[in-house]
């Protein structure tokens, strides 16, 4: 009940400029930090969106619509976003994945993508900066699986971990 009510109220207060983005988060955050059970992402999101659609709302409905996008990295979540929301928000994806997301969503859905761009002319320095930034995401299977679908493999992830260990400890670890 709180989420759809907040969406309507924030949209009204912003003059129709509010866009709600929803995601299922990540297993380590859901389980270890929040103490909840992390379940199948697509099923969890579908159940939540359906519950929102049927939630009681007793205030007057505004005349303008409220928009929602779903955090989506993979094809199943993108299809769900297409079917139950106004679009998708793929985060930390490649240009090719953005094209794939557009193909799944179709032309009439919002694609609120976030890609990383690094303005650095020295290739070695650019890789060092990018790897440092991406390091925390290597612990989150949703991102690793997304990057695997984009063509990255274990050697890309191992190199990142080895370089990180060497820089912080002076030696190569597991």
């Amino acid at each position: 009940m709180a989420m759809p009510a907040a969406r309507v109220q924030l949209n009204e207060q912003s003059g129709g400029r509010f866009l709600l983005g929803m995601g299922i988060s990540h297993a380590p955050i859901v389980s270890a930090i929040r103490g909840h059970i992390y379940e199948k992402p697509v099923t969890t999101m579908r159940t939540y969106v359906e519950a929102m659609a049927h939630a009681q709302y007793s205030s007057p409905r505004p005349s303008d619509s409220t928009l929602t996008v779903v955090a989506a990295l993979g094809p199943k979540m993108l299809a769900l976003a297409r079917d139950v929301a106004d679009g998708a928000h793929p985060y930390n994806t490649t240009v090719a994945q953005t094209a794939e997301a557009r193909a799944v969503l179709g032309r009439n859905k919002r694609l609120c993508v976030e890609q990383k761009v690094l303005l650095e002319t020295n290739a070695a320095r650019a890789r060092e900066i990018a790897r440092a930034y991406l390091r925390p995401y290597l612990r989150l299977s949703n991102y690793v699986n997304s990057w695997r679908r984009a063509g990255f493999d274990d050697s890309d992830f191992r190199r990142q971990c080895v370089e990180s260990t060497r820089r912080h400890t002076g030696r190569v670890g597991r």
Side-chain angles (χ1 to χ4, degrees), residues 1 6 15-16 40 52 65 77 86-87 92 127 144 147 165 168:
M1 287 175 59
K40 294 183 176 188
M52 280 181 54
S65 64
M77 193 65 83
D86 298 296
N92 215 347
R127 285 187 198 94
V144 172
W147 294 329
T165 303
H168 292 290

Side-chain angles (χ1 to χ4, degrees), residues 57-121:
Y57 184 76
S58 56
S59 296
R61 293 260 176 209
S63 58
D64 55 343
S65 64
T66 56
L67 302 174
T68 301
V69 294
V70 171
L73 294 173
K76 292 178 184 177
M77 193 65 83
L78 284 164
L80 179 66
R82 177 197 61 217
D83 296 344
V84 303
D86 298 296
H89 173 52
Y91 175 83
N92 215 347
T93 59
T94 66
V95 173
Q97 287 174 304
T98 299
E100 293 168 8
R102 174 51 69 205
V104 171
L105 291 173
R107 296 178 55 105
N108 297 322
K109 294 290 181 166
R110 293 175 185 270
L111 180 56
C112 305
V113 66
E114 183 171 334
Q115 296 172 344
K116 305 302 177 211
V117 176
L118 178 59
L119 302 176
E120 171 60 60
T121 57

Side-chain angles (χ1 to χ4, degrees), residues 7 16-17 20 22 43 53 63-65 72 77 85 87 90 93 96 113 117 127 137-138 152-154 156 161 173:
R7 177 181 60 186
R17 296 185 319 266
L20 173 65
M22 299 188 314
T43 302
S63 58
D64 55 343
S65 64
M77 193 65 83
T93 59
V113 66
V117 176
R127 285 187 198 94
Y137 295 97
L138 290 172
F152 296 94
D153 61 30
D154 286 340
D156 297 304
C161 292

